[in-house]
Amino acid sequence: MKMKKLVSLVLVAACTLSLAACGSKSEEASSSDEGKKETLVMATNAEFPPYEYYEGEEIVGIDAEIAAAIAEELGMELKIEDMAFDSIIGAVTSGKADIGAAGMTVTPEREESVAFTDTYAHATQVIIVKEDSEIAGPDDLTGKTVGVQLGTTGDIYAEDIEDVTVERYNKGFEAVQALTQGKIDAVVIDGQPAKEFVADAEGLKILDEAFTEEDYAIAVAKDNTELVEKINDALAKLKESGKLDEIVAKYISADDAE
Ligand code: ARG
């Protein structure tokens, strides 16, 4: 009799426990249904390692992880939309995306159409040439054919070179390929992707002298000051906690930092 009682007690206890577990699960489900997490839509161009690129089907990289960390701070769910780089600002201004995070340099021209958050990375535009090239610095680009990714700062600055022919590609990688094939004389592109592309190619080098210095920030619709402030707060927290450095260190070795 005693034994039976014990068994039934255990059964009741197990039942209660499993009910509780069940209960808390369904509670969780229903509460997240009610207060369904808002989505933070990020527009990017995932052709820009180590900031954003595909690993299988997934878009990974520094920007993807920073945006995910920001979304987490804001209690939102991140959704990444891949598009052409020169469509990102339009996606943000039209409201198709909430943010543009794409190793995007803050420029006065862009600031006319979007608001930028605080900056989160320093960068340079570098020149890639063939190992045996006679081009040794920006001044030698005069009269040459320079490849860039369409709509990037590399594109904007290359335009200013005297007597230059600018070849615009949809992907930075395609410009580097054209250089390998001898179709163009040089590529002007951001320093970190340059390192990745050159490492994967044969016979190319990056010139020591950088073309420009710049800073990356996240683009937000101009009238959405609330989101800019929220992201700046989140960024400050990520900087303070060391999380931002941690994300960067995962993709860029300390020697290669700019
Ligand atoms: N920093 C450059 C710019 O803002 C290039 C950025 C390219 N980014 C990309 N995800 N493809 O114009």
Side-chain angles (χ1 to χ4, degrees):
M1 186 63 184
K2 249 191 176 172
M3 194 57 194
K4 250 190 189 168
K5 211 172 187 182
L6 191 65
V7 168
S8 59
L9 260 179
V10 169
L11 277 178
V12 168
C15 216
T16 316
L17 275 176
S18 74
L19 268 178
C22 222
S24 76
K25 242 188 217 156
S26 60
E27 229 165 66
E28 229 176 69
S30 66
S31 72
S32 73
D33 265 1
E34 282 162 24
K36 206 165 193 284
K37 274 193 186 171
E38 259 182 85
T39 5
L40 183 71
V41 180
M42 156 178 161
T44 197
N45 169 247
E47 301 290 345
F48 199 68
Y51 286 92
E52 44 267 334
Y53 57 101
Y54 279 94
E55 215 170 72
E57 302 270 281
E58 204 193 344
I59 295 173
V60 297
I62 296 173
D63 288 332
E65 290 208 27
I66 290 178
I70 289 171
E72 201 185 325
E73 284 287 341
L74 305 188
M76 297 173 89
E77 190 135 8
L78 182 70
K79 188 168 171 243
I80 303 180
E81 302 265 7
D82 188 18
M83 58 189 71
F85 182 75
D86 70 338
S87 300
I88 297 174
I89 298 233
V92 171
T93 54
S94 69
K96 218 182 121 206
D98 302 305
I99 61 170
M104 191 179 281
T105 306
V106 180
T107 71
E109 295 75 27
R110 288 174 183 164
E111 276 178 318
E112 279 172 23
S113 20
V114 288
F116 280 104
T117 64
D118 292 337
T119 62
Y120 63 89
H122 184 69
T124 52
Q125 291 290 313
V126 297
I127 301 165
I128 310 176
V129 292
K130 281 207 167 171
E131 254 158 18
D132 58 1
S133 172
E134 51 172 24
I135 299 170
D139 294 345
D140 299 331
L141 292 175
T142 305
K144 299 282 195 253
T145 304
V146 175
V148 297
Q149 183 181 14
L150 176 74
T152 59
T153 43
D155 185 355
I156 298 162
Y157 301 136
E159 267 289 280
D160 292 340
I161 302 166
E162 206 182 313
D163 205 17
V164 78
T165 308
V166 181
E167 290 289 343
R168 300 181 172 84
Y169 299 86
N170 288 323
K171 305 174 181 185
F173 167 72
E174 289 170 354
V176 175
Q177 246 178 352
L179 177 62
T180 308
Q181 293 162 0
K183 292 182 182 156
I184 54 176
D185 302 309
V187 171
V188 173
I189 194 167
D190 301 52
Q192 294 299 342
K195 280 177 194 152
E196 306 244 355
F197 293 146
V198 167
D200 288 345
E202 278 293 290
L204 301 183
K205 66 176 180 188
I206 298 171
L207 297 184
D208 289 338
E209 196 182 337
F211 203 65
T212 54
E213 306 270 323
E214 24 193 67
D215 288 298
Y216 294 164
I218 296 170
V220 178
K222 259 198 153 175
D223 54 4
N224 202 346
T225 35
E226 194 191 329
L227 186 58
V228 175
E229 277 166 26
K230 280 190 189 165
I231 293 177
N232 283 343
D233 286 346
L235 269 175
K237 276 192 197 155
L238 296 173
K239 284 178 187 169
E240 217 175 275
S241 68
K243 173 89 181 162
L244 189 83
D245 288 342
E246 206 179 281
I247 294 172
V248 173
K250 202 172 138 184
Y251 292 93
I252 301 175
S253 71
D255 303 349
D256 280 345
E258 285 177 25

